[in-house]
Amino acid sequence: MAFQIKPRHDLSPNEIDEIEDRIYDHNSYSTGRHDGQRLGFVIRNELGQMIGVAAGYTWSGTSELKQIWIDKAYRRRGYARALLNAFVAEACSRGVRRIWVASYDFQAPGMYEKAGFKRMAEFEGWPEGHTNVVLCKTFV
């Protein structure tokens, strides 16, 4: 069987979503768990502009917070913590027992630790000169 591998460095958001859906289908089939749901919150300013977001998912008793972002002009006002609290509360209401998040050392690992997340792994040199920290919060 002949095939070609071609570089494609401009995958669209729709193509990425399709890939993630296919991976979810495989994982759900393999585990018998079909309860995956996206999870997200947005903060908007008085003009309706997005100034903060938290996004991830829940699946099989676990959650991953994939992105959390606050516009630079609105940082250090408690918005990130409010988004994190909302994310954790909704994940827990879905029966999640663990929430995972990765944060570079120059981002917010300290905020997650103050919220009860524990460092599970650190990858030095990712990116070069920095560390990628993987944290987890477990619920009993």
Side-chain angles (χ1 to χ4, degrees):
M1 176 176 172
F3 62 90
Q4 293 180 349
I5 297 176
K6 295 182 179 182
R8 183 72 204 287
H9 308 297
D10 61 347
L11 293 171
S12 72
N14 287 340
E15 289 169 313
I16 298 294
D17 284 347
E18 183 178 340
I19 292 164
E20 288 187 0
D21 288 345
R22 289 180 182 194
I23 292 169
Y24 173 75
D25 289 345
H26 170 76
N27 294 346
S28 294
Y29 174 80
S30 297
T31 62
R33 297 296 301 256
H34 303 278
D35 60 347
Q37 292 181 304
R38 292 182 175 151
L39 185 113
F41 293 91
V42 175
I43 297 177
R44 296 190 182 277
N45 67 11
E46 60 280 352
L47 301 175
Q49 300 164 318
M50 184 172 63
I51 61 166
V53 65
Y57 64 89
T58 59
W59 175 64
S60 189
T62 303
S63 179
E64 182 181 6
L65 175 55
K66 293 184 76 156
Q67 294 98 14
I68 191 165
W69 168 83
I70 302 295
D71 182 272
K72 190 173 184 176
Y74 292 88
R75 292 180 187 162
R76 304 229 179 264
R77 299 184 192 182
Y79 293 122
R81 186 58 185 260
L83 284 169
L84 179 59
N85 290 344
F87 190 96
V88 168
E90 178 61 20
C92 287
S93 77
R94 296 180 185 187
V96 161
R97 296 178 118 357
R98 278 177 214 85
I99 301 175
W100 293 90
V101 65
S103 180
Y104 295 119
D105 59 356
F106 55 85
Q107 291 177 326
M111 177 189 71
Y112 297 113
E113 289 173 315
K114 287 178 186 172
F117 286 74
K118 304 287 184 224
R119 288 180 186 233
M120 304 303 285
E122 295 184 17
F123 300 95
E124 291 184 31
W126 181 14
E128 192 66 38
H130 294 279
T131 303
N132 191 345
V133 181
V134 176
L135 304 103
C136 182
K137 184 168 185 168
T138 303
F139 306 92
V140 240

